[in-house]
Structures are given as C-alpha cells and as structure tokens.
Amino acid sequence: MKVFTTDKIRNVALLGHGGSGKTSLVEAIVYLAGKTTRMGTVEAGNTLSDFEKEEIKRRISLKTTVIPVEWDDHKINLLDTPGFHDYIGEAEEAVSVADAAIIVVSGKAGVEAGTMRAWDMCEKRNLPRMFFVTDMDDDKASFKNIVQQLQDLYGKSIAPFHFPLRENEQFVGYVNVIQQKAKRWNANGTVDKTDVPDYSQENLSLYRDALLEAVAETSEEFMERFFEGDEFSEDEIRSALRVGVSDCSVVPVLMGANNLARGMYTLMADIIKYFPSPDNCKCAGINTTNNEVFEADYDFSKPKSAYIFKTIADPYIGKYSLIKVNSGVLKPDDVLFNYHRDAEERLGKLYVICANKVEEVKELHAGDIGALAKLSVSQTTDTLSTRKNPVTYLRANISKPYVYRKYSAKNKGDEDKISQALAKIAAEDLTIKIVNDGDNAQTLIYGISAQHLEVVQNILAEKYKVDMVLERPKIAFKETIRKKSDTEYKYKKQSGGHGQYGHVKVIIEPSGDMETPYIFEQTVVGGAVPKNYFPAVEKGIIESVKCGPLAHYPVTGVKVTLYDGSYHSVDSSELAFKVATEQAFKKGFMDASPVLLEPIANLKVLVQDQYTGDVMGDLNRRRARVLGMNPAASGYTEVVADIPYIELYEYDTKLYSITRGSGVFSYEFARYEQAPEEVAQKEIDKIKEEN
C-alpha cells in the first residue's frame, strides 16, 4: 500500500448492535474498492474481518479488525468492531483512535441496545458520526421507522441524506434529499439520474424538512432564514453539513443493501466529504519533562509520537502492536522511547495491517494507523515518543470486567501452558483479568460475561491446544464468633526419649474489629507459660485463623487471650505449644457461637426505564436490598442495591435476558454480614461433603 499524507486519511470506527451488518458492509466496500474479487458472507464464514475460527463458528465478530481501503485517492482506515456488549473492550479500543464513526443499524431489527451503546460511546468522545441503515433490499425493512426512532431518541440532529426507492418489492434506487433527485441503478451497476417519483414526494418533503432543520441548527443566521422560509442553496447546505457533522450537531442517515453492494459509493463519498481528516482533529498529551501540554494535533512537522491502541499476539502470525501516529512521520528503524516502561524500542519495519494480513510500508504519517512487530516491552495503551520529547497520552478507558469463574487445567501438567496462553490473551484483550485468590485456594478469570469467558476457553483449546475447566467460584466467606468461651488444651506426647508437652488456657471472644483476623494478648502470671513460648502460641493462632473450624474459611474479628497453662522443663517445645494452641482454638471457637459471614457488594445497575420493575423483582429474589433509584441518561435509571456476592453468580446472563442486552452493571466490595442460617448451613454441609 502506498503512503498517504494526513489530509488524505480518514479513521472510521464501525459501531452498532451485533448482527446489524457491520462486517458485511466492510465486505461490500472492499469488493467495490477492488481489494477482493468476490464478496464473502458471515454465513459462509469467508469474510475478511471475521477470520478467527471462533468467529466463523459463532457467526459474530469477537475482535476489532482494521481494514484500510484506498478510495478516490484517500485512505479510509475502517475499524470493524464487535457489536455485542461481551466484547465492549474491543470497541472501546477502536473508538480511542477513530476520528469518526458509522453506526450501523439493521433496517429489519431497527434501533437496538448496541445502537444506543454506540451513540453513547461517540458522545463521550465527541466523535462525529453518521448512521448507515442496512437491509434496504428486504421488504420488511423500514427506513422511515428507523429515522423516526432516531429522531425520537436524538432529536433535531438526525438528518436523512437519502431514502430508498422500492418498486415491485425491489430496491431499485434512492432519492438524494440534498439534490432532490432520484437515482436508479442500471444493469452496469451505475446510476441514472431521474426525477423523484410521485409516490416518494411525501417522504422527500418529510426528510427534506428534517435535513433543513438540522442545517438551521448549525448557525443563528441559518436559523433565522429557516424560520423566514428562505431556501438554502445546495452549496450552502453542504457547507453547513460539513461544519455540523464535524462538531456533532448534525448526524447524517444513509442507507443501502450490503449483499447487493448498493449504497456504498455514496457512503464512501460522504465519509471523505464530511468526516474530518486527522489534521482537522485535536490530539494532546503531556510532556513528561516539564508536565506541559504537548499539542500533537496530528502534525507531521512535530516530534514523533504514537499511541498503542491494540495488541495482536497470535501463535501463527506473531505479535503486532497496532498504533496511531499522533505526530511526526514514523520511518523504519526509528528508535522511540516508552515513558511508561522507561525503555527504548527500535521499530524495525513498519506495516499496515488488513485483518490477518500485514503489508510493509515505507513510512507512516501523522494520523495514520499501522502496526509494529515484536516490540520488546511496550503494551496496549502505552505511548511511544522521542527521548528528547517524552510524551504520554491519556490511556483509553476500557470497561472493567465483573464476571468471574474459577479455572483449572483439565489435564495435569498443563497449568504452565494455560498460564502462558492466558497471558497472551490478556495482552490482546484488556477486559480479561487473571487473579490469584490465595485465601480460597483458587485462580480466577474475569471477563465481561459468561459467554466472553467461554470464548476464551474455546480459544485456548482451538489455538493453544490446552483445555481449561471453568467452574463456579468459591465465595470468600469468613468465620467469626458472637460469644465468649474459656478453654484449654494439653498436648502431651511420649515416644521414647524427649516427649512433647504444651498446655494452654485461653479465652476466645469477639474483638470488635472485623477488619483484623485476630488480636493476641497474654496475661500469664507466675511463669505458668514461659515468655519464650508466647511466639509459638501466636503462631498457633495464625495457623488457626487461616482455615476456620466451622467451614474452613478464614477467621476474622477474634481476640485470643492466653491467661494460664503449664510447661515441662524437658519435654516442652515451641511445636508443642503451637499444636496445643491450635487445638484449643478449634474447641474454643466452636464453643463461642460461631457464624459464617458473607461478602456484600454495592451493586449499580443502569437500566432502561421500561425494565426497571423487572430488574427490581429479580434483585429482590437474589436477597438484595435496594438502596435507591437515580435518574440517569434520558430514558435510563440507575438502581443501587446491596447484594450478597453469592447471588451475583450468572447475574450478567439474567440481566441481559431481562433488558434485551441494554442493561449494564458494576459493583464493589462493601462489607461482610452474617449469612442467613439456611445459606450458612448449605455452605457448611458442602464443605463437609468435600472433605
């Protein structure tokens, strides 16, 4: 691929609900651009974007794919993102380097949860956007209904640029609302300009009014003229639209049919015409030598800098770091400095990446997206710059994973292989986290959803040839006591020669400090237990609180007072007093009304108003205490509740079902509370069965 200057580049993220047609839209574009000789389909599993075996099997996108397309002497970097919330991190990475977005909407399914999620992502970054409505060749598709839905949600900013022409249930052409002309496809695949048919005049009037109202909103002068009934010229409309699209006050709506490759020429023309090139976008970092703002602004004349927005760690094609050049011009063998890692990286060759294929390029100009091979220490969201001008850019805000499972190797001896493979997967996917839960002797894997974790499990088996077992995680219960007990234990053992003797009398009672496992005091008088054995007694307590007598969970909030005992001048030892203490602790703990404590989370659920009642009902069934309901974005409510951790298991699946994919949740640890008797007994019985 040839080198493109900044003004000839467009970086566009394709967003939208899963199944809306993003990948098939890319197929149509690359076919018309001459990159492929035939169009692939998701059903056939031969698309350019979805090349992973798991993507082909599931018929959905799991990763963001970069597809650079040469069109009319411009380079359009298309970032095809997954549409389902399970892979939100991939979309967030793409949006962090996009300068504009196309939100794809299925003409049959209409506005869905993923559509609104895509809009919200664009709003957070103030990203210029347009809608592209697919499936216009299907008679069940309704462009009119979708425009109405979008206007109801997003108001006067929605500006239809085209609408479909249908005759005899066939998609035969479209009407250009700006030009007020109809265009029909002919046998050559080109269009013939004609007058707008009579049956489309009503729709033209409707969409023209919506378009002009959006144009009027771009300036006070246009607003006055609009209300005075003035006509805008085509040049005035296009000029206003360029400004309006760039500042997000105008959102065009286009349409087409992916499988017929119709509507893509106008879409690509409008991308070049209305979406900003990087040199018209702002980009700033911090110069770490003086903490001053570095205005990169995709200026090729400024010191070199780049942001790593994604990592590919594939066992077949190797490791590549996907970058966006924020300033300067990168060339092969440049040496750049990573401030985050305090290390220099020699770039070697420069590449552009198209799906799973790489192509070498001579240089990458500011604003372009490319790839670097085998960087030694740099990771996703790191910044590369010159050592003389060390810069760091704001890291992308990637969603935090809240769904977790216990995992283990199916086959003994595969633990290291799984660990290494998961490290590579986590480097690619920042929403995968591995946590070692030492208190409960388990290793946990966190992801966005249960399906997300199942996909990781399948990738391990398919790509890395190791099998991982996912299980319900052990909840971090704790044990404590409600009463006071006085107990003793004498450890006496004789087996020839020196024996073992240790005798302790202790009081075990609640300490009142639930943050601390134990408090140890001694009030021994008269040397009943010599001072040199006090550390051994405390060691016995330390061992005892790691695994409580009730259900083998850690103990907290206990005070142990050593007040008496006895020793033998020959047979006593540290080991004997440690063992005696452990046995005394077990007996005394069980005599002090032991209880099981369960962890409580503070849960926040963001849900559309229409589903609030169903969500509340489900939370009540999960023993949650609803603390409040706060108005959120338009049409949304945030439900705040305290809920036991054990009740969060599979909550993601239930919430998805209740809200049709629109609900999202987050939580954080709040405190420990005494578990209800039936919950505690069930847990105690389970531990007894296991042991």
Side-chain angles (χ1 to χ4, degrees):
M1 180 173 278
K2 68 179 185 179
V3 173
F4 287 82
T5 54
T6 309
D7 61 315
K8 296 292 186 180
I9 295 168
R10 302 291 186 274
N11 298 309
V12 183
L14 296 181
L15 307 173
H17 196 81
S20 59
K22 300 181 293 298
T23 298
S24 56
L25 175 59
V26 170
E27 281 298 308
I29 291 170
V30 296
Y31 171 72
L32 294 174
K35 285 180 74 76
T36 58
T37 55
R38 64 187 181 90
M39 286 169 52
T41 66
V42 173
E43 291 73 23
N46 59 354
T47 63
L48 197 61
S49 294
D50 294 350
F51 54 86
E52 296 272 5
K53 286 185 179 179
E54 196 66 20
E55 291 178 310
I56 294 168
K57 183 176 79 174
R58 292 176 180 266
R59 295 184 178 180
I60 60 172
S61 297
L62 303 177
K63 295 182 178 181
T64 288
T65 310
V66 181
I67 309 289
V69 178
E70 293 185 45
W71 192 283
D72 194 18
D73 200 32
H74 285 71
K75 181 186 181 186
I76 318 294
N77 289 314
L78 297 173
L79 296 114
D80 183 14
T81 70
F84 290 106
H85 183 66
D86 315 67
Y87 316 103
I88 186 71
E90 295 285 332
E92 289 166 336
E93 287 176 342
V95 167
S96 72
V97 294
D99 301 316
I102 296 170
I103 302 176
V104 181
V105 184
S106 165
K108 292 183 289 185
V111 174
E112 299 173 271
T115 314
M116 293 180 279
R117 193 176 297 119
W119 177 277
D120 292 341
M121 290 173 72
C122 293
E123 283 287 282
K124 286 177 183 175
R125 292 187 61 87
N126 200 32
L127 208 61
R129 73 215 72 154
M130 62 175 66
F131 287 98
F132 186 82
V133 184
T134 61
D135 301 320
M136 284 299 103
D137 56 319
D138 193 308
D139 201 45
K140 294 177 183 176
S142 174
F143 183 77
K144 188 174 183 179
N145 286 349
I146 289 170
V147 170
Q148 186 62 56
Q149 287 178 328
L150 294 174
Q151 288 174 335
D152 291 344
L153 283 168
Y154 308 122
K156 297 176 182 178
S157 65
I158 301 301
F161 275 22
H162 314 104
F163 64 91
L165 283 179
R166 277 206 189 88
E167 290 178 359
N168 300 320
E169 298 184 357
Q170 299 294 314
F171 182 36
V172 297
Y174 63 95
V175 174
N176 185 312
V177 178
I178 299 171
Q179 297 174 345
Q180 301 185 79
K181 287 288 184 182
K183 298 183 180 182
R184 293 174 179 269
W185 284 289
N186 55 40
N188 302 323
T190 57
V191 292
D192 297 323
K193 292 184 179 180
T194 65
D195 291 332
V196 179
D198 291 342
Y199 65 80
S200 292
Q201 288 293 341
E202 184 181 342
N203 281 339
L204 175 60
S205 176
L206 183 74
Y207 296 136
R208 179 81 174 176
D209 287 346
L211 177 70
L212 294 179
E213 193 167 357
V215 167
E217 293 282 336
T218 61
S219 74
E220 289 185 12
E221 180 191 346
F222 277 9
M223 182 66 78
E224 288 178 13
R225 289 177 57 189
F226 176 73
F227 282 120
E228 288 171 3
D230 249 7
E231 277 292 322
F232 299 137
S233 70
E234 186 176 325
D235 286 343
E236 285 178 321
I237 291 172
R238 293 194 184 279
S239 177
L241 289 174
R242 284 190 191 95
V243 174
V245 172
S246 290
D247 67 15
C248 303
S249 61
V250 175
V251 180
V253 185
L254 288 78
M255 52 84 230
N258 296 345
N259 60 330
L260 299 177
R262 289 182 174 175
M264 286 78 224
Y265 283 109
T266 52
L267 173 64
M268 296 300 279
D270 286 346
I271 285 174
I272 293 169
K273 200 179 298 177
Y274 297 109
F275 278 166
S277 57
D279 58 344
N280 288 316
C281 299
K282 294 291 183 183
C283 174
I286 297 294
N287 186 318
T288 58
T289 56
N290 53 25
N291 283 333
E292 292 182 357
V293 175
F294 174 67
E295 303 282 357
D297 293 342
Y298 307 108
D299 188 334
F300 75 93
S301 65
K302 290 186 177 180
K304 303 177 187 195
S305 68
Y307 172 74
I308 302 172
F309 71 94
K310 184 171 179 57
T311 298
I312 297 174
D314 191 280
Y316 304 116
I317 69 170
K319 180 187 175 185
Y320 288 90
S321 300
L322 274 59
I323 60 165
K324 184 180 186 184
V325 184
N326 288 353
S327 59
V329 178
L330 296 194
K331 297 187 177 180
D333 294 323
D334 276 345
V335 177
L336 294 183
F337 177 64
N338 185 326
Y339 168 78
H340 305 289
R341 313 292 164 190
D342 191 25
E344 288 188 334
E345 297 272 21
R346 182 173 291 278
L347 304 190
K349 295 178 180 179
L350 303 177
Y351 302 93
V352 291
I353 196 160
C354 180
N356 62 342
K357 295 179 176 62
V358 294
E359 184 180 340
E360 192 176 340
V361 288
K362 294 179 181 178
E363 56 189 30
L364 288 169
H365 281 241
D368 207 351
I369 287 174
L372 307 174
K374 299 176 182 177
L375 295 182
S376 57
V377 296
S378 298
Q379 298 176 17
T380 306
T381 72
D382 283 357
T383 298
L384 298 173
S385 58
T386 62
R387 189 176 275 278
K388 287 184 179 179
N389 188 62
V391 176
T392 178
Y393 293 103
L394 189 66
R395 295 179 185 271
N397 187 18
I398 306 297
S399 291
K400 183 179 176 181
Y402 289 101
V403 177
Y404 62 99
R405 296 287 185 270
K406 172 186 174 182
Y407 80 86
S408 57
K410 184 177 181 180
N411 302 314
K412 197 172 181 180
D414 279 351
E415 290 81 6
D416 286 345
K417 289 181 182 178
I418 289 177
S419 179
Q420 292 168 12
L422 285 177
K424 291 179 181 178
I425 291 172
E428 285 189 287
D429 186 348
L430 299 187
T431 60
I432 292 291
K433 301 290 181 190
I434 308 300
V435 176
N436 183 25
D437 180 11
D439 286 345
N440 294 290
Q442 60 183 355
T443 310
L444 304 173
I445 179 170
Y446 280 75
I448 297 297
S449 68
Q451 177 176 284
H452 187 201
L453 297 179
E454 287 169 12
V455 167
V456 172
Q457 184 183 32
N458 292 344
I459 289 172
L460 281 174
E462 190 71 48
K463 190 181 286 188
Y464 295 95
K465 310 304 178 187
V466 286
D467 292 321
M468 177 176 73
V469 178
L470 294 176
E471 299 174 273
R472 183 168 185 159
K474 192 176 181 182
I475 298 299
F477 286 93
K478 288 189 178 181
E479 300 178 22
T480 194
I481 52 177
R482 292 181 295 180
K483 294 181 181 178
K484 180 177 180 180
S485 71
D486 187 340
T487 189
E488 66 174 307
Y489 191 88
K490 186 181 289 185
Y491 178 62
K492 189 175 181 180
K493 192 174 182 182
Q494 196 70 42
S495 57
H498 284 301
Q500 294 287 348
Y501 184 91
H503 177 210
V504 296
K505 292 182 179 181
V506 295
I507 293 173
I508 299 177
E509 59 189 317
S511 69
D513 180 5
M514 299 306 290
E515 302 295 319
T516 306
Y518 74 93
I519 295 172
F520 172 57
E521 289 184 0
Q522 61 77 25
T523 58
V524 178
V525 294
V529 178
K531 289 182 179 180
N532 58 306
Y533 292 129
F534 292 170
V537 172
E538 186 166 9
K539 283 181 183 177
I541 298 169
I542 291 171
E543 289 300 315
S544 297
V545 299
K546 288 180 182 176
C547 183
L550 184 62
H552 297 182
Y553 284 106
V555 171
T556 193
V558 172
K559 179 181 178 182
V560 181
T561 304
L562 173 67
Y563 70 91
D564 201 359
S566 62
Y567 75 103
H568 190 280
S569 59
V570 176
D571 291 345
S572 286
S573 66
E574 288 188 1
L575 176 61
F577 273 96
K578 178 175 174 290
V579 172
T581 303
E582 289 175 356
Q583 296 303 318
F585 186 93
K586 283 182 184 178
K587 184 175 182 298
F589 189 91
M590 295 305 291
D591 290 341
S593 189
V595 292
L596 206 59
L597 301 175
E598 63 177 347
I600 304 296
N602 182 249
L603 174 71
K604 293 180 180 178
V605 187
L606 189 64
V607 60
Q608 287 181 322
D609 293 343
Q610 59 185 312
Y611 302 121
T612 303
D614 292 335
V615 168
M616 298 264 284
D618 180 63
L619 288 175
N620 288 332
R621 285 188 288 274
R622 292 173 182 266
R623 297 193 289 124
R625 290 194 299 273
V626 176
L627 304 177
M629 296 169 59
N630 307 316
S634 177
Y636 278 83
T637 296
E638 182 188 63
V639 180
V640 182
D642 281 349
I643 185 171
Y645 267 71
I646 198 170
E647 299 293 346
L648 285 170
Y649 184 68
E650 295 185 338
Y651 183 64
D652 60 303
T653 306
K654 185 65 176 179
L655 183 64
Y656 186 93
S657 173
I658 292 173
T659 66
R660 298 187 179 182
S662 63
V664 294
F665 71 98
S666 62
Y667 62 85
E668 59 183 14
F669 173 75
R671 65 190 172 279
Y672 274 90
E673 286 183 1
Q674 183 177 332
E677 188 175 340
E678 63 274 15
V679 174
Q681 193 58 52
K682 186 178 179 181
E683 197 64 25
I684 292 167
D685 292 342
K686 185 176 77 174
I687 297 297
K688 284 180 180 177
E689 287 176 13
E690 291 174 356
N691 292 280

